[in-house]
Amino acid sequence: MLRHVTAASGIPGMDDDDIESRTLPRVLLRQAERLGGKRFLTINGRSASFEETLEISSRLASGFRRLGVRQSDRIAILLPNRFEFVITWFAASIL
């Protein structure tokens, strides 16, 4: 039996009717506030908590801004499936 699943279903604190709360950076922020130091990401033996992922991604996003990258710009992430790819993907979404 299938049940209807919305984008925010199953994420505590996320309102299914609030489209603003469904952005990737907001979901990461809310989960970092809620779960903090719990492990979020492990790839090839490298791990990061929700808080660490948010912190590293935010610093990288700041670096992108200093280089002149803005929210509406397009960037390409040419990395294999590894820890740095996920961090860069989050950083790009934070812009």
Side-chain angles (χ1 to χ4, degrees):
M1 173 183 237
L2 296 175
R3 70 179 184 92
H4 178 71
V5 178
T6 62
S9 291
I11 303 174
M14 300 295 287
D15 182 354
D16 287 339
D17 295 326
D18 181 10
I19 193 71
E20 286 292 314
S21 68
R22 294 185 198 172
T23 65
L24 188 59
R26 286 181 190 249
V27 170
L28 180 59
L29 176 62
R30 286 186 181 178
Q31 294 302 85
E33 289 170 348
R34 184 174 160 267
L35 301 172
K38 289 191 178 183
R39 185 180 306 160
F40 168 62
L41 177 65
T42 300
I43 300 175
N44 296 331
R46 188 165 176 194
S47 297
S49 69
F50 287 90
E51 287 175 337
E52 291 167 333
T53 301
L54 179 61
E55 171 64 25
I56 297 166
S57 298
S58 295
R59 283 188 310 196
L60 183 55
S62 292
F64 285 155
R65 282 188 210 98
R66 283 192 303 274
L67 291 171
V69 180
R70 297 294 172 245
Q71 188 175 30
S72 62
D73 292 347
R74 294 180 183 168
I75 65 169
I77 304 171
L78 304 175
L79 290 169
N81 291 335
R82 53 188 292 166
F83 184 86
E84 292 82 2
F85 175 87
V86 176
I87 296 298
T88 305
W89 183 53
F90 275 111
S93 72
I94 290 171
L95 289 171

